Amino acid sequence: MQLGIQVSGVSRAFGSVQAVADATLSVLPGSVTALIGPNGSGKTTLMLMLATLLAPDAGTITINGHDPATHPQLVRASMGWMPDVLGSWPSLTVRAALETTGRMYRLSRATATARADELISLTGLEELADRPSRVLSRGQKQRLSLARALVHSPSVLLLDEPASGLDPAARINLRELVRRLAGDGTAVLVSSHVLAELDEMADAAVYLTNGRTASPEALARAGASSRAWRIRSLDAPALASALTAIGVSPGITSVDKLGTLVQVTGEAAAVELLGRLIRADVPVCDFGPAVGNLEHTFLDLNRGTDVMEQGS
Amino acid sequence: MTTVTTGSTPTSFGVWISGLWLIVSLELRQRVRGTAWYVLLGIFVLLVALVTTLLWAATGASLVGGGGVFSLIVFFVLLLGTLVSPALSGNAINGDREAGTLATTQVTLISTGQLVLGKFVAAWITSLAFLAASVPFLIFAVSAGEVSAATIGTSIVVLAIELGVIAAIGVGLSGVVTRPLFSIVVTYLLVAALSLGTLIAFGLLGAATKATTTSTFTPVLSSDFDPETGEQSNVVCGPAETTTYETPRFDYYWWILAANPYVVVADASPGVFDEYGSPSDSFAWIAVSVRQAQTPPDLATEYNACEEASSGYSSYSGEYPGMQGPGPTQQEIYDSALPSWFVGLAIHLALAVGALFWAWRRTLTPARRLAAGSRIA
């Protein structure tokens, strides 16, 4: 039995709109995979198909070896889904909502109660445990939603925009929790717009554009393309003159309040640039990629499609 | 970490029922939310109390018995139940979809059947609460006497079933129609179609379908009357006179009335008649009226006065051989006609089951076809 998530050539249309055209990905147990794509690229549709709610038009999905379209009950027993919309029973308390969800997964009453307590402390909702969920803020509801997805200790976890509305402390907690779950052997697929955060959380990334997952070749191309590095110096004029002397054209540099942005192709070129700046006695105090790996690839892939669309 | 502990119930049926009951109790906690609902129930009790008092005074129940008061309270509960139930049940499924709580239930081990049936049972229990609140007044009416146990039993059971039918239609439509407001309105329209639409359809169709009735009368032009024997001789007959006129054919359409919930409740109760064969409660009145409509009109009436005169009838004997005696009593009409309530109840149950089945089909996951503009989560 193949554990984790396997998706191969999946497509789904709503009328004339092709939401997911050709998606292929796999998430192994114990790993966190980021699902990245612009709005409307089909992330949520793909999540809904994995979550047994929507049947694909074509392609195959297996979750822990079971097909969600034909054996939804088997998939549901071991799959946790945190939706992108906040839905909670407004008049139930946080504790009651978690207990009820546990009972829906056929936990015994005692187990459900114990599990609810566990999850309340895990997600930091202790003080709100006996308040009705309609009084929760967006971020608090988001935490309840995460707790609900974990009620039956699933071995496959689908998180759709889990970080939206969370404060920085809660984001860090989320990141640590997701890493810990992966450490325990859970296969996690997480979609988010906060790419910097996924950078720290995910082992692998899947890019979805117009319903298609990016091919390995496109990813390699995107990774190798030039990207912006941010350089900050204690002596800004000296940095500017050194960059001009090195031959970095002013046209591909820009200056913001955090430093100077320079387009560099590949890490080897960055190392060389840094060496030359140091040798020119420029007091460099900050030198690093301006955007994370995921963001860089994401932007590059989408720039590619924009060009293609303009060309066609 | 990845094991799912099975609940304490050992059989799969037990698991299914406990899942169903979980949905029922969740629905009751969600929808029967505190104050507003109890205020509604309080207003309902006040209205029933007011109606009971007025009926008591109006019918003189302390003298003639509580049958009239009892049957009218049952109707009043049915009226208020049909007014309240669609609002409480008509957004059960699509309301959850809009609130984002439907999909989070569907990804659990709760099946679509448990979800739809659970919501129906909860809606039914909610409307039965209104019936339960009116029980003191029903007991009060019964205490005035003259209400048979059979009437009490059947009318309350049939009323409870009718409330269930409306709950099922409301929950069913909420699974079929995408927008909550629209499904509530459609439920109200369907309830109105059954309660008022059947009356209108029956009246209009019956009145529009006319049959020609011929009436033939053969008069006596002259005769000699012997006052001692009371017999006539030398009877001279006139020519037969035929008149025609149009009669509405309600007998073709009586079954439409059978689908009316008030008629079902009334007709299902055993008819109670007084010593003159007249109905003694409003159930029997309605049942007689509906069953009367089954009798086809006499399309050719004939009265031959001439033949009567020749065959010699005595004006003193009071016998009119050619004419019908005093018409059948209402009890006789009631007893000779077909009871219609099980036809109506069967129509209602088919509607209820059909609505729930349709909702189940539309709520099945993984979804293959989605209605335009609807979303899953």
Side-chain angles (χ1 to χ4, degrees):
Chain A
M1 187 170 84
Q2 180 71 59
L3 292 174
I5 305 170
Q6 310 292 329
V7 177
S8 170
V10 162
S11 67
R12 171 75 206 203
F14 297 105
S16 60
V17 181
Q18 191 71 37
V20 173
D22 180 12
T24 300
L25 65 94
S26 73
V27 184
L28 297 175
S31 75
V32 180
T33 298
L35 182 62
I36 297 165
N39 290 331
S41 61
K43 294 193 299 293
T44 294
T45 304
L46 181 57
M47 285 281 196
L48 289 174
M49 287 191 279
L50 295 176
T52 73
L53 292 173
L54 195 61
D57 292 335
T60 56
I61 300 174
T62 59
I63 289 177
N64 285 344
H66 303 295
D67 184 346
T70 53
H71 297 98
Q73 292 290 85
L74 290 174
V75 171
R76 285 167 190 168
S78 63
M79 183 267 303
W81 173 64
M82 176 177 172
D84 65 332
V85 282
L86 303 169
S88 61
W89 301 295
S91 58
L92 262 61
T93 64
V94 169
R95 192 186 303 279
L98 290 175
E99 281 170 5
T100 304
T101 310
R103 304 273 294 140
M104 285 177 177
Y105 282 108
R106 298 182 192 164
L107 303 185
S108 69
R109 199 175 291 276
T111 317
T113 308
R115 186 71 183 140
D117 279 335
E118 238 173 87
L119 289 168
I120 284 166
S121 60
L122 191 67
T123 49
L125 288 169
E126 292 94 339
E127 286 174 19
L128 298 157
D130 296 308
R131 308 279 303 276
S133 67
R134 65 166 167 272
V135 307
L136 301 188
S137 73
R138 187 184 156 80
Q140 290 161 342
K141 276 188 184 160
Q142 209 53 6
R143 281 190 263 164
L144 171 59
S145 182
L146 175 66
R148 196 169 51 190
L150 296 173
V151 157
H152 55 308
S153 309
S155 60
V156 167
L157 195 55
L158 307 171
L159 306 176
D160 202 349
E161 299 288 338
S164 68
L166 293 186
D167 60 41
R171 277 167 194 247
I172 293 167
N173 286 341
L174 171 71
R175 197 168 69 214
E176 286 171 354
L177 178 61
V178 168
R179 287 302 335 170
R180 192 161 74 239
L181 290 168
D184 291 341
T186 307
V188 186
L189 182 67
V190 54
S191 83
S192 174
H193 288 126
V194 189
L195 299 178
E197 198 174 76
L198 288 177
D199 247 339
E200 295 170 15
M201 199 194 288
D203 306 305
V206 172
Y207 296 87
L208 203 58
T209 312
N210 296 330
R212 290 168 199 280
T213 44
S215 64
E217 299 79 50
L219 287 178
R221 230 179 7 254
S225 69
S226 73
R227 60 197 291 191
W229 286 63
R230 178 174 281 116
I231 308 166
R232 197 156 61 83
S233 168
L234 297 177
D235 186 353
L239 176 64
S241 59
L243 282 175
T244 312
I246 289 164
V248 176
S249 143
I252 58 167
T253 63
S254 61
V255 179
D256 63 18
K257 63 180 179 179
L258 293 172
T260 305
L261 292 172
V262 179
Q263 293 295 322
V264 179
T265 307
E267 288 182 334
V271 170
E272 196 192 328
L273 176 61
L274 179 59
R276 292 173 77 167
L277 288 175
I278 300 292
R279 282 196 292 280
D281 284 335
V282 180
V284 175
C285 58
D286 193 2
F287 188 95
V291 294
N293 275 320
L294 295 178
E295 190 173 343
H296 169 65
T297 311
F298 171 76
L299 292 174
D300 197 75
L301 284 170
N302 287 297
R303 194 158 43 235
T305 56
D306 287 349
V307 170
M308 269 162 26
E309 277 163 17
Q310 283 158 9
S312 62
Chain B
M1 188 72 186
T2 55
T3 50
V4 173
T5 319
T6 318
S8 50
T9 33
T11 63
S12 61
F13 182 72
V15 169
W16 195 88
I17 287 294
S18 81
L20 178 76
W21 187 248
L22 186 67
I23 297 294
V24 173
S25 57
L26 177 65
E27 276 295 299
L28 291 177
R29 282 155 90 183
Q30 277 292 108
R31 286 181 197 285
V32 186
R33 25 182 114 78
T35 333
W37 194 79
Y38 289 104
V39 168
L40 193 63
L41 202 58
I43 292 172
F44 172 81
V45 169
L46 273 180
L47 280 174
V48 175
L50 196 66
V51 165
T52 308
T53 317
L54 291 176
L55 283 174
W56 190 270
T59 60
S62 49
L63 301 174
V64 300
V69 177
F70 178 84
S71 54
L72 286 169
I73 293 174
V74 168
F75 278 145
F76 193 66
V77 173
L78 180 59
L79 174 68
L80 289 185
T82 54
L83 291 179
V84 171
S85 184
L88 293 175
S89 65
N91 65 344
I93 294 174
N94 51 17
D96 270 15
R97 203 190 291 277
E98 295 233 319
T101 53
L102 187 70
T104 49
T105 306
Q106 288 181 301
V107 295
T108 69
L109 296 177
I110 294 293
S111 68
T112 308
Q114 286 170 314
L115 192 66
V116 173
L117 275 182
K119 282 176 178 291
F120 155 65
V121 172
W124 194 6
I125 290 175
T126 312
S127 50
L128 285 182
F130 287 90
L131 178 56
S134 61
V135 161
F137 303 98
L138 293 175
I139 292 172
F140 180 66
V142 168
S143 71
E146 304 290 327
V147 188
S148 71
T151 302
I152 299 168
T154 45
S155 60
I156 288 182
V157 167
V158 173
L159 175 59
I161 294 174
E162 286 296 324
L163 292 175
V165 164
I166 293 159
I169 290 172
V171 170
L173 286 173
S174 81
V176 172
V177 179
T178 310
R179 292 181 53 208
L181 183 62
F182 195 57
S183 64
I184 291 174
V185 169
V186 173
T187 309
Y188 271 117
L189 288 178
L190 203 57
V191 168
L194 290 176
S195 305
L196 294 173
T198 48
L199 290 178
I200 295 170
F202 171 77
L204 289 180
L205 282 169
T209 314
K210 291 221 169 63
T212 308
T213 304
T214 52
S215 170
T216 313
F217 175 64
T218 313
V220 179
L221 290 182
S222 67
S223 67
D224 298 332
F225 183 65
D226 183 347
E228 290 194 358
T229 59
E231 289 189 6
Q232 299 180 79
S233 52
N234 302 327
V235 178
V236 181
C237 295
E241 294 164 14
T242 304
T243 50
T244 61
Y245 53 93
E246 305 279 290
T247 316
R249 294 301 302 267
F250 290 110
D251 56 310
Y252 290 160
Y253 304 108
W254 64 270
W255 52 270
I256 294 178
L257 281 184
N260 186 303
Y262 296 87
V263 172
V264 170
V265 171
D267 199 56
S269 303
V272 183
F273 294 89
D274 61 16
E275 57 205 284
Y276 309 108
S278 294
S280 40
D281 61 15
S282 53
F283 292 157
W285 270 113
I286 290 177
V288 165
S289 313
V290 174
R291 293 189 188 190
Q292 213 156 25
Q294 293 178 21
T295 317
D298 203 349
L299 291 183
T301 55
E302 195 177 346
Y303 176 46
N304 195 333
C306 189
E307 193 177 305
E308 261 173 27
S310 326
S311 66
Y313 79 92
S314 161
S315 59
Y316 297 120
S317 67
E319 293 292 321
Y320 295 83
M323 292 179 82
Q324 291 170 352
T329 65
Q330 284 167 312
Q331 184 164 16
E332 282 160 2
I333 293 172
Y334 180 89
D335 290 337
S336 63
L338 288 171
S340 68
W341 63 271
F342 53 81
V343 176
L345 206 55
I347 293 172
H348 290 174
L349 290 178
L351 271 178
V353 171
L356 289 178
F357 180 75
W358 196 5
W360 174 78
R361 284 295 307 243
R362 293 293 294 265
T363 319
L364 269 183
T365 51
R368 294 186 191 280
R369 223 167 48 80
L370 288 185
S374 72
R375 55 175 297 147
I376 294 179

